[in-house]
Amino acid sequence: MTVHSQGAATSAPEDAPPKSAGRPPKAPAGAAAPGPASPRGGRKSLPSGWLPYLLIGPAVISLAGLLLYPLIKNVILSFQDINKVEFIQRKYPSAGFGNYTELLGDPNFWTVVVRSFAFTMANVALIMALGSLIGILLNRLGKWMRLVLSMALVMAWAMPIVASVQVFNWLFDEQFGVMNWVMRSAGFSGYEQHNWFESGLSTLTIVTVLVVWGSIPFVALNMYAGLTTVGAELYEAARMDGANGWQTFWKVVFPNLKPFFLVTTFLEVIWVFKAFTQVYAMNKGGPDRASEILPVFAYVEGQSQSHYGLAAAISVLTILILVVVMSFYFRLILKQEEEQ
């Protein structure tokens, strides 16, 4: 006997099987088990494994069009002997490995390679050292002073490269430069209309100051962000053990932020090694091409000398050199991840 909500009683059939609470009725033997309901009127959804590929597909296609295709064309161009005449006549004679053998046998090319490595190492060392020190300073400052210094770093970082090059050109100008005035005011002689760009070494020194000044904010702000993840109890334990500031850095800060140092150094090596705008806009690789690094060397050979095939070979060799150097660094990063 069952009772409806209205209170009327109805009798159930006597031969009906009892219903167990909470269990669905069993399907008859031989009947197919019902599958999951298809969404939206019977349409089948895509396999879940395809979703990541569909999401990154547009980005991969865009990168292939913007980066991979020009790279392939550049590699093809490096095997062709194309100068100004061939470019105008639209002739593409094959040079085989002639461009590469010419470069590898050219002492000027190896001079530029050594100069590029020296320029990169000097810049990266200064950037990482000064940026880390400023990052530690940010961590030690009070709230308002930290805000002021952070805003100054962001403004320096956001300044366009060409505009900063013009500022540095004015600072080191031969006739109206601030640096000549400062040196004369400090009592040094010989700085009346002193030419700071008279040699390749002095030009690259000024470019180094510019590159370091523009790259320190990235390292400093990332260093400060990393320091916020180091627990205060570690500093307290180091102080209780009698460690000074230098020992605290090497024993507490550096081990905890080692991945940060590895990745940031890796990025700085790439950015400095391919620096073009600062060097070319400062003095166009001069004087007498004495301040050229590999990207500027390739540009001058291609645009000024109209040796397009040779310039393409220089850029390909630059990429290969950077890949070989970075392969050792990749191994170091992977070893660090395995240790963790």
Side-chain angles (χ1 to χ4, degrees):
M1 181 82 64
T2 59
V3 181
H4 289 284
S5 58
Q6 291 85 356
T10 57
S11 60
E14 294 180 356
D15 55 347
K19 294 182 180 179
S20 60
R23 291 185 181 178
K26 293 183 179 180
S38 353
R40 298 190 180 179
R43 293 186 191 174
K44 291 184 177 180
S45 60
L46 290 172
S48 59
W50 284 93
L51 183 59
Y53 300 101
L54 291 176
L55 293 176
I56 67 173
V60 172
I61 295 172
S62 301
L63 288 175
L66 295 174
L67 298 178
L68 185 61
Y69 176 74
L71 178 61
I72 294 174
K73 293 292 290 184
N74 189 70
V75 172
I76 295 173
L77 180 61
S78 67
F79 291 100
Q80 295 173 339
D81 186 15
I82 300 179
N83 298 314
K84 185 180 291 185
V85 176
E86 290 80 8
F87 183 76
I88 295 174
Q89 296 177 352
R90 294 187 178 182
K91 295 180 180 179
Y92 309 102
S94 175
F97 288 93
N99 292 325
Y100 292 96
T101 55
E102 180 181 350
L103 282 173
L104 296 177
D106 185 6
N108 292 328
F109 172 74
W110 292 109
T111 301
V112 174
V113 171
V114 173
R115 186 186 299 138
S116 301
F117 274 102
F119 176 77
T120 301
M121 289 188 293
N123 276 272
V124 172
L126 289 172
I127 290 168
M128 292 303 300
L130 297 177
S132 299
L133 290 174
I134 296 176
I136 295 173
L137 178 62
L138 282 171
N139 193 45
R140 298 286 182 89
L141 290 176
K143 177 181 178 182
W144 292 108
M145 287 303 298
R146 183 188 303 128
L147 178 62
V148 171
L149 181 55
S150 299
M151 290 178 62
L153 290 171
V154 170
M155 286 190 289
W157 192 17
M159 188 172 184
I161 296 177
V162 176
S164 61
V165 170
Q166 293 303 317
V167 172
F168 272 72
N169 273 327
W170 173 69
L171 290 174
F172 293 93
D173 185 72
E174 182 177 353
Q175 186 173 1
F176 304 105
V178 175
M179 288 305 301
N180 281 338
W181 174 79
V182 169
M183 298 302 287
R184 290 195 305 268
S185 301
F188 293 96
S189 60
Y191 285 93
E192 284 78 12
Q193 298 187 356
H194 174 71
N195 184 12
W196 292 87
F197 302 100
E198 62 182 357
S199 67
L201 179 60
S202 61
T203 301
L204 284 179
T205 302
I206 297 172
V207 174
T208 298
V209 175
L210 171 61
V211 172
V212 171
W213 171 81
S215 301
I216 279 178
F218 173 77
V219 178
L221 294 173
N222 278 282
M223 180 69 177
Y224 168 66
L227 288 171
T228 58
T229 64
V230 181
E233 64 275 5
L234 297 177
Y235 294 105
E236 184 65 27
R239 279 193 293 268
M240 291 178 64
D241 291 338
N244 56 28
W246 185 252
Q247 292 171 335
T248 301
F249 177 80
W250 283 112
K251 300 298 183 180
V252 176
V253 175
F254 185 77
N256 284 278
L257 298 184
K258 194 173 182 180
F260 155 77
F261 285 106
L262 291 175
V263 173
T264 307
T265 305
F266 170 73
L267 293 175
E268 290 296 337
V269 168
I270 295 176
W271 289 339
V272 175
F273 194 81
K274 66 182 185 65
F276 168 80
T277 308
Q278 296 92 332
V279 180
Y280 187 79
M282 186 70 73
N283 202 21
K284 294 182 172 56
D288 298 327
R289 306 185 67 176
S291 63
E292 288 180 352
I293 59 175
L294 280 170
V296 179
F297 183 57
Y299 180 82
V300 171
E301 285 293 330
Q303 296 300 319
S304 301
Q305 307 295 325
S306 300
H307 301 154
Y308 303 110
L310 193 65
I314 296 171
S315 63
V316 172
L317 287 176
T318 301
I319 295 173
L320 292 177
I321 291 171
L322 193 58
V323 168
V324 170
V325 172
M326 288 296 100
S327 64
F328 297 101
Y329 206 77
F330 272 125
R331 291 176 59 185
L332 187 61
I333 292 177
L334 292 176
K335 183 179 178 180
Q336 174 68 23
E337 291 182 353
E338 290 175 358
E339 291 176 355
Q340 292 180 349

